[in-house]
């Protein structure tokens, strides 16, 4: 199961446009429809602030964007206490901590089933998503690794 960040969706749109790589987007839509791929509501907010093909796509999705709850809010507060510089780097609608929180909460409620955070941030930076994911025993992977994990697109 996967939680995807805005950065990976922007990367996907930039390099794999829907009109050229329709089968990639159809596969993505299937993963969304089956609940294998989700995103927090804040990803939708970030996407709809843009002016590209992701805006109507994001507005047309039902069930993909998950509203925050108290459990996720508690994880975001924990992230803030452990990684204050991570939170300081946030934009007004930064989805990053909410992606991690959603994955943590879903993993806790899924009896140990792994949840993976898909994002485009570098593994080596101490104040980015991969480092925060590691602290919460979550796996972080980039978009192409996500494709590989699913057997290619």
């Amino acid at each position: 199961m996967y939680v995807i960040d805005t950065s990976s969706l922007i990367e996907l749109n930039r390099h794999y446009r829907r009109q050229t790589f329709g089968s990639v987007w159809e596969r993505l839509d299937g993963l969304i429809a089956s609940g294998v791929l989700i995103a927090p509501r804040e990803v939708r907010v970030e996407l709809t602030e843009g002016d590209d093909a992701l805006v109507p796509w994001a507005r047309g999705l039902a069930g993909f964007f998950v509203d925050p709850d108290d459990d996720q809010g508690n994880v975001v507060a924990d992230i803030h206490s452990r990684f204050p510089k991570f939170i300081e780097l946030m934009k007004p609608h930064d989805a990053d901590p909410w992606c991690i929180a959603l994955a943590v909460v879903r993993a806790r409620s899924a009896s140990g089933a792994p949840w993976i955070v898909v994002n485009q941030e570098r593994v080596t930076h101490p104040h980015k998503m991969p480092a925060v994911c590691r602290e919460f025993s979550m796996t972080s992977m980039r978009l192409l690794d996500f494709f590989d994990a699913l057997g290619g697109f």
Side-chain angles (χ1 to χ4, degrees), residues 4-14 43 46-47 96 118-121 129 143:
I4 194 164
D5 182 45
T6 311
S7 61
S8 292
L9 293 169
I10 290 170
E11 182 81 1
L12 179 67
N13 187 56
R14 182 176 295 139
V43 167
E46 289 181 349
L47 290 175
D96 293 2
V118 181
N119 65 88
Q120 294 307 106
E121 295 185 354
M129 291 179 80
L143 183 65

Side-chain angles (χ1 to χ4, degrees), residues 1-101:
M1 305 300 221
Y2 301 87
V3 176
I4 194 164
D5 182 45
T6 311
S7 61
S8 292
L9 293 169
I10 290 170
E11 182 81 1
L12 179 67
N13 187 56
R14 182 176 295 139
H15 297 291
Y16 303 94
R17 294 177 305 202
R18 190 176 202 103
Q19 63 269 30
T20 307
F21 297 93
S23 62
V24 171
W25 286 88
E26 288 172 13
R27 177 91 190 271
L28 189 74
D29 290 341
L31 294 170
I32 291 167
S34 66
V36 171
L37 181 66
I38 60 174
R41 180 189 64 194
E42 287 70 17
V43 167
R44 182 178 193 269
V45 170
E46 289 181 349
L47 290 175
T48 57
E49 289 174 345
D51 63 355
D52 58 18
L54 289 173
V55 175
W57 177 80
R59 287 186 178 145
L61 291 174
F64 175 54
F65 299 107
V66 178
D67 288 331
D69 61 23
D70 290 341
D71 291 335
Q72 292 171 47
N74 290 336
V75 175
V76 169
D78 194 13
I79 291 169
H80 180 40
S81 69
R82 294 189 204 187
F83 291 88
K85 289 186 179 180
F86 178 69
I87 299 293
E88 287 173 13
L89 299 173
M90 290 182 4
K91 304 174 291 268
H93 294 288
D94 195 341
D96 293 2
W98 294 99
C99 288
I100 296 166

